[in-house]
Amino acid sequence: MRVLITGAGRGIGAGLLTAYRGRGAEAFGTVRRAPGAGEIGMDLRDPASVAAAGQAFGGRPLDLLICNAGVLPRGEVPELWAEGFAVNVTGVFLTVQAFLPALRQAHGAKIAILASAMGSSARAPGGSYIYRASKAAAINLGRNLATDLRRDGIAVGIYHPGWVRTDMGGSSAEITVAQSVNGLVARIEALSPATTGVFEDWAGQPVPF
């Protein structure tokens, strides 16, 4: 099994990379810094960087693409709106496009998009406008990708990883990286063409759109 995880330099992405390697998968992670062994340099803010990463990976079959990389802007200035959508939405789309040839080479490939319950339009407590709006767009993107990629036999799942104790989530978050990762791996394993387009949390609970 060949797996690619974006934003694997730390936090949930690093945890997922370790977990899949521990399960015997040939797992690669993308990082913004200079890549090491088993890593691919890629900056979601730069479309050319994403395209180059896809070309470097080549046409080798890719069984699972996990779009984990994301940003949580601290503020609401225009520059942060641009960055939030560039990474959380456009970056996801460009990543899928760049690695789609490899996904099509695999039998029963899967795409997992890590969004957030904060992007649920049914839940609107206010605040965190950039993050909520960009994650809502990522959820919508995932749902539409699920429709369009069904013909290729590629299943798409959208997941809320939980409020996790990472640099982004903070030390007061509810769950550990290990708890989130274990749950996400189980959710992704259960993903199939019959459930493509699902939006659920790390524990398997449906999240309202």
Side-chain angles (χ1 to χ4, degrees):
M1 180 181 185
R2 186 172 286 118
V3 181
L4 178 68
I5 303 157
T6 68
R10 60 181 181 176
I12 298 170
L16 285 166
L17 186 62
T18 298
Y20 277 103
R21 286 176 175 171
R23 294 164 68 92
E26 184 182 4
F28 304 88
T30 74
V31 294
R32 290 179 60 196
R33 54 172 166 72
E39 295 178 336
I40 298 171
M42 188 172 83
D43 186 347
L44 291 183
R45 297 166 176 81
D46 181 2
S49 174
V50 178
Q55 292 171 357
F57 190 83
R60 294 174 293 170
L62 178 60
D63 300 287
L64 173 60
L65 171 63
I66 302 180
C67 296
N68 160 77
V71 293
L72 174 59
R74 308 288 183 179
E76 306 292 346
V77 299
E79 293 80 7
L80 293 180
W81 276 93
E83 180 186 38
F85 273 78
V87 175
N88 295 346
V89 188
T90 307
V92 174
F93 177 75
L94 294 178
T95 298
V96 171
Q97 290 298 103
F99 291 93
L100 192 53
L103 289 162
R104 284 177 170 149
Q105 291 298 316
H107 176 71
K110 301 179 183 182
I111 298 171
I113 297 173
L114 268 59
S116 172
M118 289 178 68
S120 168
S121 296
R123 301 176 180 176
S128 300
Y129 298 114
I130 300 175
Y131 191 71
R132 291 186 190 279
S134 64
K135 288 300 183 179
I139 294 165
N140 184 279
L141 172 62
R143 293 280 288 173
N144 283 283
L145 284 170
T147 297
D148 288 338
L149 296 179
R150 188 189 298 271
R151 66 177 68 96
D152 293 315
I154 299 173
V156 181
I158 310 155
Y159 303 100
H160 169 54
W163 185 17
V164 189
R165 292 180 208 127
T166 61
D167 290 344
M168 182 183 291
S171 59
S172 61
E174 296 175 341
I175 61 173
T176 65
V177 169
Q179 287 174 301
S180 177
V181 165
N182 289 338
L184 290 169
V185 169
R187 304 285 75 72
I188 295 168
E189 186 173 351
L191 178 64
S192 72
T195 60
T196 190
V198 68
F199 181 28
E200 58 189 14
D201 70 12
W202 65 279
Q205 296 302 307
V207 181
F209 297 101

